Amino acid sequence: MDAYEQMEIDVRLESEKDLKTNVGKVIKFFYDKRRVEAEESGWPLKRVESKHEGYGIAAEAYSKIGAKAKVLKNGMEDYLKLLQVKGEDGVSICGDIYNQALELAMEAIGMAADATRILNDLYYGYDSRTPIEQAIAEMKAQDGQEGAEFEDAEESQGEGENDAQEAQESAESYDPDAEPEEN
């Protein structure tokens, strides 16, 4: 069978492609601006520490978008009611719809900036260790001296897993009250 190449035809208008690119630039600008303003004010944005915290930030932004979407929906309903009215009232409602759509877009850009922040904090600062591995690492850090002795023993052995395992066993069986052995 002859090899063929699947091609994708992008049928979007150039203006749509440009809009997506420009909106991406606006989101990045807003994200950077928000971060710089927070740092200059003396209240830098707190680092997002967990997926749950990130969800809370995203949920707050989403609720704001929902509220703006509801206002826009009400504006559209008002416009529908005014279709039967002659005069400027039926046309001036378009200005309200414009403003409502603009506010909705601003909230959506804010949510995208929040998502960028969450992604940057969690993706680049993500700790892939399990909670047990994290607890063990914390215990080693708190133990200080014992953890350092174990790491020093492991580094000095250096060659092979058996040497490291022997160092670990000796560190675990270390009894400071025991009499020293004579060689």
Side-chain angles (χ1 to χ4, degrees), residues 146-160:
E146 289 180 31
E149 288 174 5
F150 173 72
E151 289 173 8
D152 290 341
E154 188 175 326
E155 287 175 9
S156 66
Q157 297 294 327
E159 295 181 11

Side-chain angles (χ1 to χ4, degrees), residues 58-122:
E60 181 180 358
Y62 181 72
S63 68
K64 290 177 183 177
I65 289 174
K68 296 296 182 182
K70 186 176 180 180
V71 170
L72 179 58
K73 180 181 181 232
N74 291 339
M76 286 300 295
E77 289 172 357
D78 291 344
Y79 190 21
L80 179 62
K81 292 173 188 173
L82 292 174
L83 286 177
Q84 301 299 320
V85 176
K86 293 186 179 185
E88 292 182 19
D89 289 341
V91 177
S92 66
I93 191 74
C94 289
D96 294 339
I97 290 173
Y98 170 82
N99 288 328
Q100 294 159 357
L102 180 63
E103 289 179 17
L104 176 62
M106 289 172 45
E107 290 298 336
I109 288 169
M111 183 175 185
D114 288 337
T116 301
R117 173 182 164 213
I118 295 164
L119 181 64
N120 286 343
D121 289 353
L122 292 181

Side-chain angles (χ1 to χ4, degrees), residues 3-7:
Y4 67 93
E5 181 181 344
Q6 178 69 39
M7 298 185 75

